[in-house]
Amino acid sequence: MRKARRALGCAVLVAVPVLLAGCAAPSGVRVEGKAAEVERPLPTTVAGQPVTVDVVALLRGDPKVNEKIKYMLSPCESGRYPVDSRYVDVTGDGISEVVLNVQECRLTAYTGYGYNRSGYVYALPPGQPPVQLFATEESGVVVQPDPGSGLVLVRGRYRAGDRSCCPSGEETTVYSWTGTSFVKAGR
């Protein structure tokens, strides 16, 4: 009987937000239906062709990547590799680069600063091997793209008693692209 009550309670918790969702209208709430799905545009090269790269093989094959980071590049329990990748033009040249963050496997849907172990940016020149443009192997730093102008490094600012998931604040450092490298532009 207890299990049945729990199941009914869970069903109500799931159903109530669905029933309450809608749009305001003069006559009351108007239910519109399911949101349209939007396709994310694929990153492109100068020739307009989609760009993709095996990010795990890229990191494993790069002699500049620390061996400890390479050791982390094995599938997690979910089968997913602990690498977050984004294809974004961070140099402003019209060609997408790949921005990578290597995380610990214990990371769930939440991206905690304490779970990030390194970040990289690679250029993907058409017909050529990828080129490392930026790297940080400082634990707890998240590399975020700032399309067309550079990168933002975000690190948690912890006080005594903060858990690794929940820093009291954050510190950002901006890096700008000079045409040949990323340089610190400020905080």
Side-chain angles (χ1 to χ4, degrees):
M1 187 67 174
R2 238 182 197 165
K3 288 183 180 178
R5 278 192 226 147
R6 275 192 216 145
L8 180 59
C10 289
V12 169
L13 287 174
V14 169
V16 168
V18 172
L19 293 174
L20 296 177
C23 297
S27 60
V29 174
R30 181 182 66 210
V31 177
E32 287 292 320
K34 195 174 179 181
E37 293 198 17
V38 178
E39 269 189 50
R40 242 172 87 181
L42 288 172
T44 58
T45 65
V46 174
Q49 297 301 312
V51 176
T52 57
V53 65
D54 179 344
V55 294
V56 173
L58 173 63
L59 292 169
R60 284 181 180 159
D62 187 344
K64 295 177 186 174
V65 173
N66 186 305
E67 290 301 317
K68 289 180 183 178
I69 300 299
K70 290 180 183 183
Y71 180 76
M72 294 176 65
L73 298 174
S74 56
C76 301
E77 286 181 24
S78 65
R80 168 192 160 295
Y81 283 88
V83 181
D84 173 51
S85 61
R86 297 180 194 181
Y87 294 89
V88 182
D89 178 10
V90 292
T91 61
D93 64 357
I95 301 173
S96 294
E97 288 76 35
V98 62
V99 179
L100 307 171
N101 284 290
V102 178
Q103 305 155 337
E104 288 184 16
C105 276
R106 65 182 169 161
L107 181 69
T108 58
Y110 169 77
T111 302
Y113 301 99
Y115 300 126
N116 237 52
R117 293 295 168 236
S118 60
Y120 308 90
V121 177
Y122 288 89
L124 303 171
Q128 298 176 29
V131 177
Q132 188 185 95
L133 300 178
F134 183 85
T136 179
E137 292 181 334
E138 180 183 344
S139 204
V141 174
V142 178
V143 178
Q144 297 178 342
D146 188 9
S149 62
L151 304 170
V152 178
L153 272 60
V154 182
R155 55 180 61 76
R157 223 180 355 202
Y158 294 89
R159 292 187 184 153
D162 286 352
R163 296 180 305 159
S164 64
C165 71
C166 311
S168 297
E170 65 182 30
E171 178 182 306
T172 60
T173 305
V174 177
Y175 283 80
S176 297
W177 181 248
T178 65
T180 56
S181 63
F182 285 101
V183 295
K184 190 183 286 189
R187 291 188 169 194

